[in-house]
Amino acid sequence: MIIHSPRVILRPISVDDTDEFYAWGCQSDVTQFSLSAYRYPQSKRDVEQWLTSINQDKRTISFGIVEPHNQTLIGFAGIASMSTLNRSGEYFILIGNKEYWGQGLGTEVTKLVARYAFKDIGLHRLSLTAFATNPAAIKAYENAGFQHEGVLRQSGFRNGTFHDKVMMSLLATEQPAE
């Protein structure tokens, strides 16, 4: 599945993306808010195996985020822990290439993936958590229509300190019109 907008292309990720993922994983400011499994230093071989495994997981859909003019892979996003019974999943995103931070691409990608989740897959609910200390992510999710549901107190541990995470969700019935 490939999804286009004027500013990004979402395409399947592959083992060919290993170099970019490895480079992002070596930058603590890029991965500071990422899943714990992605935060620790890894070899290129580990990254290659991880990329292979996520493409085999039937409960996860992952997209590479590509800048359309120069075809540069700048990040990845998708839906994990999908439940067909509950018609729900957990949204995730990482803009790994810092040159593209602060341009509203997080909001745009979030809207594209949400539209795909609701219209093409038939999900009813997307949820996510974001570190409370990551206001840029929270604003991007709010701009994409996600609503605050609560706070998971001291649920993330980074740099020797526990941090709160914000819980947010978006329902298919709340998806803005195109």
Side-chain angles (χ1 to χ4, degrees):
M1 166 60 69
I2 296 177
I3 301 170
H4 296 268
S5 82
R7 298 191 328 141
V8 294
I9 297 169
L10 303 181
R11 55 115 168 122
I13 58 175
S14 77
V15 175
D16 294 337
D17 300 322
T18 298
D19 288 341
E20 289 89 347
F21 276 86
Y22 178 76
W24 302 333
C26 291
Q27 301 173 58
S28 61
D29 56 339
V30 171
T31 62
Q32 67 180 324
F33 299 116
S34 296
L35 297 173
S36 297
Y38 194 64
R39 289 235 348 120
Y40 300 105
Q42 302 173 16
S43 69
K44 283 190 179 181
R45 179 75 181 130
D46 291 339
V47 172
E48 188 176 288
Q49 290 174 341
W50 177 71
L51 287 170
T52 300
S53 71
I54 61 174
N55 281 333
Q56 295 171 350
D57 183 351
K58 301 295 183 212
R59 295 180 51 210
T60 300
I61 295 173
S62 299
F63 293 105
I65 305 167
V66 176
E67 197 285 333
H69 303 293
N70 61 23
Q71 298 297 305
T72 300
L73 181 70
I74 63 170
F76 79 115
I79 308 162
S81 303
M82 286 190 295
S83 167
T84 53
L85 174 65
N86 296 314
R87 293 179 49 206
S88 64
E90 296 177 24
Y91 177 71
F92 63 87
I93 184 171
L94 173 84
I95 305 291
N97 186 325
K98 294 184 279 188
E99 292 178 30
Y100 294 89
W101 288 5
Q103 298 181 24
L105 294 176
T107 297
E108 184 164 345
V109 170
T110 301
K111 287 178 178 180
L112 290 170
V113 173
R115 186 175 304 125
Y116 175 75
F118 298 140
K119 297 196 183 293
D120 296 326
I121 301 175
L123 295 184
H124 176 70
R125 174 186 163 85
L126 284 179
S127 63
L128 61 84
T129 60
F131 276 85
T133 54
N134 188 358
I138 294 167
K139 182 163 182 55
Y141 303 139
E142 290 170 342
N143 289 342
F146 277 76
Q147 303 294 312
H148 289 260
E149 291 190 327
V151 175
L152 298 169
R153 299 179 311 136
Q154 298 186 4
S155 63
F157 188 75
R158 295 292 188 271
N159 303 318
T161 305
F162 286 98
H163 299 276
D164 293 348
K165 288 186 178 180
V166 176
M167 295 173 27
M168 302 176 79
S169 70
L170 179 65
L171 304 177
T173 54
E174 299 167 336
Q175 176 74 14
E178 296 179 34

